[in-house]
Amino acid sequence: MQDAYQGPLGGPVLSALFLCRHAASMAPTLQQAYRRRWWMACTAVLENLFFSAVLLGWGSLLLMLKNEGFYSNLCPAENTTNTTQDAQFRWPSCDPQEEMLTLGFTIGSFVLSATTLPLGIFMDHFGPRPTRLVGSACFAASCTLMALASRDTKVLSPLIFLALSLNGFGGICLTFSSLTLPNMFGNLSSTVMALMIGSYASSAITFPVIKLIYNAGVSFTVIMFTWSGLACLIFLNCALNWPSEAFPAPEEANYKKKIKLTGLALDHKVTGDRFYTHVTIVGQRLSQKTPSMEGDDLYISSQDVGDTSENPREKSVPFRKSLCSPIFLWSLLTMGITQLRIIFYMAAMNKMLEYLVTGGQEHETVDLKQKAAKTVEFYSYIFGAMQLLCLLTCPLIGYIMDWRIKDCVDSPTEGIALKDASDGVATKSVRPRYRKTQKLTNAIKAFTLTNFLLVTFGITCLINNLPLQFMTFVLHTVVRGFYHSACGGLYAAVFPSNHFGTLTGLQSLISAVSALLQQPLFMAMVGPLKGDPFWVNLGLLLVSLLGFLLPSYLFYYRTRLQREHTTDWEGPLKAPGSIDL
């Protein structure tokens, strides 16, 4: 009888189970992870930069895939787009080949965005550690598949679809799991979060860098196998340094306090959900203690366990109300349009640049094609290098979203208390600035700026001027760094915290579905429009004007909220922000 532990595949399955169990046993505690937080943050930034949304540097990867002969069998034998040079064989390339490869990019980018909802649910249940382990394994498998497929592209070209899907899924796993790490940094959490998002957005630079290595003579197979090996190092780093428990939010735990759990009749190490419950209680006690208790040891009893509860107002808000609110529905429209605009440009950038050089398929000659190939390659490098701007633009939009938040209060009673503490007398005539209203003001500014830049980007796309495309690259990079951060800040401002993850995941899923429209748009551009992107770009520009409807509604909603706060300040006090969304 076959050994039940070995399974149908024998030894390899047993080895895999052993490695998984061994990796689980290596997980540090939250206290140990806190001591390693700077190492985890620095490595997470590097891992996001080179392993997360690298698929967004599609222009450079497309050139490498065409040089390796992926789907070159779709091209006629007499095609001379790729010619022999220095006695080196060059695979033919053509529009049907590029359409097929772009379909792979469409699927991969869809997976990159659409899996955020189930991934968020998975991470809520199992924490960031298994999410990161799975993500690094998928990314390593993606690189391995691309390396193997390049050995015989006539037969194995379809593997590129699976490889790009795994690449997108592995990348978003790494990104998603790193977004809770800033909870370990207290007052620096916003800065660390901006670095995480910025490194994710800047990861589009990775394939242009790899293209430089590829042009230096290193084979595509060697590059992909090496990249797969580096992804395995992410797996090892996560196994050694990331804890099994989720990182508690700053208001839920204070790692810097010396905490004595003497009231707990426990003989074993406190871990898992039980430890999370304890540190939650400790955080509540720390936030409620008086200044005279500063520096004292904190004692909690086992009676406190399970005494935690959600904010009653947030708990009473049904999810259906948040889901059907005008703010969320307008945000779906705005984010869907922006995502489609950004993804389409990434997919069609090479063809747009090629059209600017050749002037259309009817004017193409051998010399123009060679010139277009060199121009596209050069501009792809510039576009990739500009992705590092996201490391600067993401903190900028974060600064806009956090503008004057520290000077705000949550309720009229808090404003009176602050005035009393500063002057000794409560002065009701001075109207306080409310935190929710200020967050809405900041969101209006952020979305107005983002949409203005998006429209400007659409206008530059319409102008047939090659040097102007440098400005187009800058605008594209800035918008891509802005719109996700602005949406996350908006959701955090107006919706209950227990709805934030689900709403964000649902928004990403719907945006990914809308981005699927870029494939038929691309096929229309290279087909009936004969490579001319003008009419597609004009249509997208007109549609992008709808993005101003969201800040317009936010302005209307803020006015209603200010009117209610005025009533709260001058009349009977009631909970602010209770009006319908």
Side-chain angles (χ1 to χ4, degrees):
M1 183 176 179
Q2 187 182 28
D3 190 349
Y5 286 100
Q6 291 189 358
L9 297 179
V13 173
L14 180 61
S15 300
L17 290 174
F18 173 77
L19 287 175
C20 291
R21 292 175 181 174
H22 187 61
S25 66
M26 292 189 294
T29 62
L30 278 174
Q31 294 93 334
Q32 292 172 330
Y34 177 77
R35 291 194 292 268
R36 305 173 189 174
R37 66 192 186 281
W38 284 108
W39 167 262
M40 295 166 62
C42 293
T43 54
V45 169
L46 291 176
E47 289 164 2
N48 284 349
L49 185 59
F50 295 109
F51 296 90
S52 58
V54 297
L55 198 57
L56 300 182
W58 170 248
S60 297
L61 177 60
L62 176 62
L63 295 175
M64 289 188 287
L65 295 178
K66 291 168 72 174
N67 287 343
E68 290 297 312
F70 281 86
Y71 282 109
S72 60
N73 58 303
L74 298 178
C75 302
E78 66 273 13
N79 184 278
T80 58
T81 301
N82 282 332
T83 59
T84 58
Q85 184 177 359
D86 297 331
Q88 185 179 4
F89 176 75
R90 294 281 183 172
W91 292 95
S93 65
C94 56
D95 287 344
Q97 175 198 30
E98 190 160 341
E99 289 180 14
M100 185 64 70
L101 293 175
T102 303
L103 177 60
F105 167 73
T106 302
I107 296 173
S109 60
F110 172 79
V111 173
L112 183 65
S113 299
T115 53
T116 50
L117 179 59
L119 195 60
I121 298 174
F122 177 85
M123 198 166 71
D124 286 343
H125 283 82
F126 300 102
R129 177 186 170 87
T131 306
R132 202 166 188 83
L133 293 173
V134 170
S136 57
C138 288
F139 195 96
S142 166
C143 297
T144 302
L145 285 174
M146 282 192 275
L148 294 176
S150 65
R151 304 296 294 271
D152 187 3
T153 55
K154 290 184 178 180
V155 178
L156 301 178
S157 286
L159 283 179
I160 195 65
F161 291 98
L162 178 59
L164 294 177
S165 299
L166 289 174
N167 190 287
F169 180 73
I172 197 60
C173 283
L174 295 176
T175 303
F176 226 64
S177 59
S178 66
L179 295 182
T180 57
L181 182 58
N183 290 345
M184 306 281 276
F185 290 87
N187 293 333
L188 294 175
S189 60
S190 296
T191 303
V192 177
M193 176 66 80
L195 288 175
M196 295 297 170
I197 297 176
S199 59
Y200 157 79
S202 300
S203 60
I205 194 178
T206 304
F207 274 125
V209 172
I210 289 180
K211 182 65 166 57
L212 287 174
I213 300 174
Y214 179 77
N215 288 346
V218 182
S219 71
F220 185 79
T221 303
V222 171
I223 292 174
M224 288 298 131
F225 274 129
T226 303
W227 209 5
S228 178
L230 293 175
C232 293
L233 294 181
I234 300 179
F235 186 96
L236 182 61
N237 180 47
C238 178
L240 293 175
N241 296 297
W242 286 64
S244 298
E245 296 90 355
F247 301 115
E251 65 272 12
E252 296 171 336
N254 190 330
Y255 293 94
K256 293 185 177 180
K257 293 294 180 182
K258 182 180 179 182
I259 299 169
K260 292 184 178 181
L261 303 176
T262 56
L264 296 171
L266 299 176
D267 296 328
H268 55 82
K269 184 172 74 171
V270 182
T271 57
D273 295 336
R274 197 164 180 79
F275 176 80
Y276 185 83
T277 303
H278 299 328
V279 295
T280 302
I281 296 169
V282 169
Q284 293 175 344
R285 289 291 186 85
L286 290 170
S287 63
Q288 295 169 2
K289 67 180 181 179
T290 61
S292 62
M293 295 175 61
E294 195 69 37
D296 295 340
D297 293 333
L298 182 64
Y299 296 85
I300 66 174
S301 65
S302 56
Q303 295 176 352
D304 292 327
V305 177
D307 194 29
T308 59
S309 61
E310 300 180 26
N311 186 304
R313 187 175 68 85
E314 290 189 352
K315 190 175 182 180
S316 63
V317 177
F319 177 73
R320 183 181 67 258
K321 184 176 181 180
S322 297
L323 184 65
C324 299
S325 65
I327 290 180
F328 181 68
L329 297 177
W330 284 122
S331 71
L332 290 181
L333 176 65
T334 300
M335 295 298 289
I337 292 172
T338 308
Q339 180 87 341
L340 173 61
R341 193 70 185 92
I342 294 298
I343 293 297
F344 174 76
Y345 185 80
M346 288 181 169
M349 183 186 70
N350 287 5
K351 277 295 179 183
M352 291 182 185
L353 294 173
E354 182 180 312
Y355 182 84
L356 291 178
V357 176
T358 63
Q361 297 174 357
E362 63 274 11
H363 305 296
E364 286 184 355
T365 62
V366 175
D367 292 338
L368 274 179
K369 288 181 179 179
Q370 292 179 350
K371 181 181 178 182
K374 293 180 181 179
T375 302
V376 168
E377 188 167 349
F378 172 74
Y379 275 78
S380 295
Y381 289 141
I382 300 299
F383 177 77
M386 286 186 177
Q387 302 311 302
L388 289 176
L389 286 175
C390 291
L391 287 173
L392 302 177
T393 59
C394 286
L396 175 61
I397 197 68
Y399 180 77
I400 294 175
M401 295 298 295
D402 291 338
W403 176 254
R404 305 187 74 174
I405 294 297
K406 291 183 179 180
D407 302 331
C408 300
V409 298
D410 289 322
S411 64
T413 55
E414 185 179 344
I416 296 174
L418 290 175
K419 191 67 178 176
D420 184 36
S422 59
D423 299 338
V425 179
T427 306
K428 292 188 179 181
S429 60
V430 179
R431 185 172 297 142
R433 180 182 291 109
Y434 293 99
R435 182 170 285 107
K436 186 171 183 179
T437 304
Q438 186 63 40
K439 286 183 177 180
L440 283 171
T441 301
N442 296 344
I444 292 171
K445 294 177 180 178
F447 275 103
T448 302
L449 175 61
T450 302
N451 287 321
F452 174 77
L453 294 175
L454 183 65
V455 170
T456 306
F457 164 76
I459 293 174
T460 58
C461 288
L462 293 175
I463 303 174
N464 291 336
N465 184 279
L466 201 56
L468 185 64
Q469 300 313 304
F470 291 123
M471 181 180 177
T472 305
F473 293 166
V474 173
L475 291 171
H476 179 276
T477 303
V478 172
V479 170
R480 197 164 64 85
F482 274 14
Y483 74 110
H484 281 302
S485 300
C487 186
L490 173 64
Y491 287 178
V494 301
F495 295 120
S497 59
N498 57 326
H499 296 172
F500 178 82
T502 306
L503 292 176
T504 302
L506 186 60
Q507 173 267 314
S508 297
L509 174 61
I510 295 177
S511 296
V513 172
S514 66
L516 291 176
L517 293 174
Q518 69 90 12
Q519 180 64 19
L521 290 177
F522 180 82
M523 295 179 67
M525 186 186 75
V526 299
L529 298 178
K530 298 181 179 179
D532 186 0
F534 177 82
W535 294 108
V536 176
N537 284 328
L538 179 61
L540 290 174
L541 172 61
L542 296 176
V543 171
S544 64
L545 293 173
L546 297 176
F548 287 102
L549 293 175
L550 175 60
S552 299
Y553 180 81
L554 291 178
F555 181 83
Y556 164 73
Y557 175 63
R558 186 192 62 176
T559 303
R560 293 174 57 197
L561 202 60
Q562 288 174 332
R563 191 180 302 118
E564 183 193 64
H565 285 163
T566 301
T567 304
D568 290 342
W569 183 252
E570 298 175 351
L573 299 181
K574 59 181 179 179
S578 60
I579 64 175
D580 293 337
L581 299 177

